[in-house]
Amino acid sequence: MIRNVLSIAGSDPSGGAGIQADLKAFSARGVYGMAVLTALTAQNTQGVSGVHLVPPQFVADQINAVFADVRVDAVKIGMIANAGIAEAVAAALAHRRGIPVVLDPVMIAKGGAALLAPEAVDVLTRRLLPLATLLTPNLPEAAALLHQPVATNRAEMAAQAERLRALGPAAVLVKGGHLDGDESPDVLATADGLHWFEARRVPTKNTHGTGCTLSSALAAELAKGDSTPGAVAIAKDYLAGAVAAAGKLSVGSGHGPVQHFHALWQEGE
């Protein structure tokens, strides 16, 4: 049976991040993708120049419309933007327990633009974190959620992962892509302890949408019934391949997108 996965996130018209990246990752990982829009952005590979928010009630209407008709096997939450939308998403999902939820706390765009209002951080922490099967912050996002300095080493990463899990998520994956050096380790905190996932850093500027892509791949694997550590291993390997193949695309002049279909497309096709 093909699984159905719902993304609740913002739109990236250049196709590298947001809903567009989520749907590509869902397809690449063999699940049927659905999308609820929280925001429209004006952006490209060089940055975000504008954001138009969807009214919170209409975000909830979209979610309810999907659940009223379609079996949902997993949910990925990306750009929430403000407190009202965070409340609407939390209210719509609160009574739909038992479905894996991957929460990617999108707070800052690759070019530095703020994508989450400061007052929304508290609502996201109180209302959405306890609904999450897996929270997937990068180092700046983990620090912002905890109101702490950004982790600079593995010990600090592990400590922040455990502190975040204490706020309610079943598991937390703190991504180490912002660390200095040639390695890009991630740490997963679960009820069973800490699990490290190692990877070499790929020398490329084409990393637009990596967080969206990883969280969507994680939701796809959880929808298929994999364990959280198993899903992380598969999704991280998939993303590494997508980043490694990003140079085969020619999209924009800034931070280009990853190649979501690296395992499916043949060169020249």
Side-chain angles (χ1 to χ4, degrees), residues 14-33:
S14 70
I19 287 289
Q20 288 82 349
D22 297 344
L23 292 175
K24 291 173 185 177
F26 291 159
S27 295
R29 298 309 309 157
V31 299
Y32 178 80

Side-chain angles (χ1 to χ4, degrees), residues 12-87:
D12 171 12
S14 70
I19 287 289
Q20 288 82 349
D22 297 344
L23 292 175
K24 291 173 185 177
F26 291 159
S27 295
R29 298 309 309 157
V31 299
Y32 178 80
M34 302 170 287
V36 165
L37 284 171
T38 59
L40 306 178
T41 69
Q43 69 172 294
N44 52 33
T45 64
Q46 299 183 56
V48 178
S49 57
V51 177
H52 180 74
L53 301 183
V54 176
Q57 183 56 56
F58 195 70
V59 173
D61 291 345
Q62 293 177 76
I63 296 171
N64 292 330
V66 172
F67 274 93
D69 181 53
V70 183
R71 186 195 72 251
V72 178
D73 298 304
V75 175
K76 173 262 171 80
I77 303 173
M79 181 180 177
I80 292 299
N82 67 19
I85 295 174
E87 290 278 11

Side-chain angles (χ1 to χ4, degrees), residues 13 42 52 84 103 110 117 139 146 151 172 209 222-223 243-244 255:
H52 180 74
L103 174 56
K110 193 73 67 180
L139 297 187
L146 292 168
V172 177
L222 291 175
V243 172
H255 292 286

